[in-house]
């Protein structure tokens, strides 16, 4: 839902909530009049106490008038109490309707997106509903308080010294108008702040449930980068809110404090037009105790409260099943992601046709000021391909593997999996089409069978499981442990044994694309060859981040990365066209002695 439609929906909901509460609003207004009595009388009573009491050398009369003001304040405080009590008759039905809408929205999201969406709905119901309820009550109190105090003060000022209005009213109106102009800006900034807070909470929540996986897979830097982006986004929204607050402070100064200066500058003129010293004090009292606090409460209270009300109501009232008009679709950047939102969070993921992978002009860096690890990198991996990626340490091989698997998203360019942009695919869809086997294998406490079949949603029969164990060379470990039902713990296994378990687990996965990120580095060469050959025979495509040249020699194609140039081709083509590859293989030939075949360079 766009921001304009969201605001319109919120306004309709608020008006509908108030439309059937005429009696309650009438009672609230009546007690608000009682609350306004001190604001109306304050300047007049101070003027009388000054002119007819203290300046007339009758202090008892002056104190009596001030005593009358104190009685009016007590009566106003009683009115404030009654206003607060009567507010529940309006706010509680509003809260009930809001809960009903939030529950309906959460149920629709749960049906459409699964358990994760249901948890988001629960958070929305518990947190946003209470925020909206408190904000709605606050807005009602602030609006009626400002209107009552401002009108009472202006009426009292006009009866005391009408000429003083020319010094007070114009700057007050300017201050109110300036505040009104900042409301939409403030709501947009507050909305961005709430979305940024939700982004941090979601990112941390996702990580907290898989910290062992992150550590076991060596993904601390990747996990940190995911949270860091949300933190930078939240910091930007806070700077925006700070700018809004600065403009609000200017509005208070213009509307609430500058009238004091104008009244003092015009004091001589007012005295010449019939004002007395007591009247001047009364005018200043109206400004200091009436207009300034009214505007200050409106700006600092209403500014934040109204923004929270509109934003949280918009988040609750948005309909997950509402059809999106083509004009309201967010633009997609080159990587297939929505600008400023979570990819694919508001629509079903596109269909994935096959498992071919294509990277088009991909650029990736680990920070806004970092050098690109990949820059305008393009590559095609057709279905059934067996690609080995080799190159010196630190050139971006593991980064490329994470991008291929959808674990990292490039800042520019497009990554396609089966003709579908990876940025629009949710994790469930990605898991069904690709499996990433990292260098640091993860094994959890449980039976060996549970560790091996955890990536399968269906039942794995003993024949299929036994064939996988045999194909990848896990049989000796199964026999040593005492069978597939034996309990395993990470600390009782070597690094190579954990890698074998992870390899069998991924081999049994239904995902047709397998990415091995140095997943056999702790195995000896014969065991590594057995694993890679088994994956090569497995239906689908295989990408191997190689740490031994023997892995490259087993592949159908080889991608050579050296940080500036990337070459792709067969073993023979790279021998002919790359001095670096010849150095890696152990050969040497004069530079340019062989020609690179056309099409061997990955742009």
């Amino acid at each position: 839902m766009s921001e304009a439609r969201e605001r319109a929906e919120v306004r309709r909901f608020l008006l509908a909530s108030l439309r059937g509460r005429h009696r309650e609003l009438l009672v609230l207004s009546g007690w608000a009049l009682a609350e306004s009595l001190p604001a109306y009388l304050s300047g007049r009573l101070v003027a009388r106490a000054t002119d007819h009491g203290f300046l007339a050398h009758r202090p008892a009369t002056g104190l009596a008038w001030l005593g009358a003001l104190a009685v009016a304040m007590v009566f106003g405080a009683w009115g404030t109490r009654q206003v607060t009590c009567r507010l529940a008759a309006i706010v509680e039905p509003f809260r009930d309707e809001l809960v009903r809408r939030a529950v309906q929205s959460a149920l629709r999201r749960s049906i459409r997106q699964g358990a994760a969406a249901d948890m988001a709905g629960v958070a929305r119901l518990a947190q946003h509903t209470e925020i909206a309820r408190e904000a709605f009550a606050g807005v009602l109190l602030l609006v009626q308080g400002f209107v009552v105090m401002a009108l009472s003060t202006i009426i009292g000022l006009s009866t005391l010294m009408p000429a003083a209005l020319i010094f007070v009213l114009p700057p007050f109106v300017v201050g109110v108008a300036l505040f009104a102009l900042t409301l939409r800006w403030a709501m947009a900034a507050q909305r961005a702040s709430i979305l940024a807070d939700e982004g941090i909470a979601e990112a941390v929540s996702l990580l907290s449930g898989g910290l062992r996986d992150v550590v076991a897979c060596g993904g601390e830097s990747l996990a940190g980068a995911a949270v860091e982006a949300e933190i930078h986004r939240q910091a930007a929204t806070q700077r925006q809110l700070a700018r809004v607050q600065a403009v609000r402070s200017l509005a208070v100064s213009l509307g609430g404090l500058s009238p004091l200066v104008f009244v003092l500058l015009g004091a001589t003129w007012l005295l010449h037009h019939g004002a007395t010293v007591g009247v001047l004090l009364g005018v200043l009292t109206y400004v200091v105790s009436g207009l300034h606090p009214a505007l200050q409460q409106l700006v600092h209270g209403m500014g934040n409260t109204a923004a929270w009300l509109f934003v949280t109501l918009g988040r609750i009232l948005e309909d997950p099943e509402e059809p999106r008009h083509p004009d309201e679709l967010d633009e997609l950047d080159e990587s297939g992601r929505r600008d400023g939102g979570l990819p694919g969070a508001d629509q079903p993921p596109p269909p994935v046709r096959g498992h071919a992978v294509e990277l088009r002009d991909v650029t990736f860096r680990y920070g806004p000021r970092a050098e690109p690890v990949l820059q305008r990198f393009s590559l095609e991996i057709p279905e059934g391909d067996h690609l080995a990626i080799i190159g010196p340490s630190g050139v971006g091989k593991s980064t490329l593997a994470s991008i291929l698997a959808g674990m990292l998203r490039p800042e520019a360019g497009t990554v396609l999996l089966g003709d579908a942009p990876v940025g629009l695919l949710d994790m469930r869809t990605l898991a069904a089409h690709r499996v990433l086997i990292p260098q640091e294998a993860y094994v959890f406490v449980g039976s060996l069978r549970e560790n091996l079949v955890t990536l399968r949603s269906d039942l794995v029969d003993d024949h299929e499981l036994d064939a996988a164990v045999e194909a990848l060379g896990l049989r000796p470990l199964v026999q040593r442990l005492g069978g597939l039902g034996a309990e395993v713990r990470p600390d009782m296994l070597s690094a190579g044994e954990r890698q074998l378990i992870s390899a069998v687990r991924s081999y049994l996965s239904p995902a047709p694309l397998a990415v091995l990120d140095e997943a056999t580095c702790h195995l000896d060469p014969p065991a590594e060859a057995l694993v890679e050959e088994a994956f090569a025979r497995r239906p689908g495509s295989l990408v191997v981040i190689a740490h031994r040249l023997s892995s490259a020699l087993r592949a159908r194609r080889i991608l050579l990365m050296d940080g500036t140039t990337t070459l792709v081709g067969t073993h023979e083509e790279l021998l002919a066209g790359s001095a670096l590859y010849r150095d890696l293989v152990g050969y040497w030939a004069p530079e340019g002695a062989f020609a690179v075949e056309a099409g061997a360079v990955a742009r």
Side-chain angles (χ1 to χ4, degrees), residues 283-327:
V283 171
L284 294 176
T285 300
Y286 276 129
V287 174
V288 172
S289 65
L291 294 183
H292 177 254
L295 183 58
Q296 189 173 43
Q297 289 179 10
L298 179 73
V299 171
H300 295 297
M302 179 73 169
N304 293 329
T305 307
W308 273 102
L309 176 62
F310 269 72
V311 173
T312 52
L313 270 182
R315 299 289 288 161
I316 294 173
L317 298 178
E318 63 182 3
D319 191 345
E321 293 185 344
E322 179 183 2
R324 293 169 62 89
H325 191 277
D327 294 339

Side-chain angles (χ1 to χ4, degrees), residues 499-514:
Q499 284 191 332
L500 274 179
I501 292 175
S502 177
V504 175
R505 175 195 300 150
S506 302
Y507 182 86
L508 289 169
S509 165
L513 172 63

